[in-house]
Amino acid sequence: MLDINKATTTQLDPEGNMFGLAPWSPLFAQRQAKAEGIFLTDEHWEIIIHLRERYRERGDARSAREILHELEENFSDGHGRRNLYELFPGGPVSQASRLGGLPLPPYSSDPSFGSVE
């Protein structure tokens, strides 16, 4: 189970993304999500933890498109990207990575990975 009560000090880049994995905590993710207008559900946590584990095992992805495709396969339940964008309106790759305290993958700042708004 996640210990969401553990607070840590974090360093952020100008876009609000954390540097590295070490200082991240679920409490950080909850605070950041609240600031971005998201209430984290079990679905959100599954994706965030998946991205963190993926990063831990494989390091940086070659592109945001690679991660988006992987998230679609594992978490969209046959509904395509729409469900992912409903969970993370700021972009499933960009916003989920930011909440997970991960560096953004290459090409994730592309406006086409933005939001459904």
Side-chain angles (χ1 to χ4, degrees), residues 26-73:
L27 182 59
F28 167 83
Q30 284 186 323
R31 288 179 180 165
Q32 184 67 30
K34 184 177 179 182
E36 295 181 24
I38 296 175
F39 175 76
L40 295 178
T41 64
D42 288 343
E43 286 181 282
H44 291 96
W45 283 116
E46 285 181 46
I47 292 170
I48 291 168
I49 291 176
H50 170 80
L51 289 175
R52 288 185 57 81
E53 289 301 315
R54 183 193 189 288
Y55 184 84
R56 210 175 257 124
E57 292 170 6
R58 299 186 232 167
D60 283 335
R62 290 177 295 191
S63 70
R65 186 174 308 271
E66 176 185 316
I67 293 177
L68 182 61
H69 181 69
E70 185 178 310
L71 292 177
E72 258 185 293
E73 286 179 358

Side-chain angles (χ1 to χ4, degrees), residues 12-33:
L12 306 176
D13 70 10
E15 287 86 35
N17 301 302
M18 293 178 66
F19 293 115
L21 294 177
W24 183 86
S25 76
L27 182 59
F28 167 83
Q30 284 186 323
R31 288 179 180 165
Q32 184 67 30

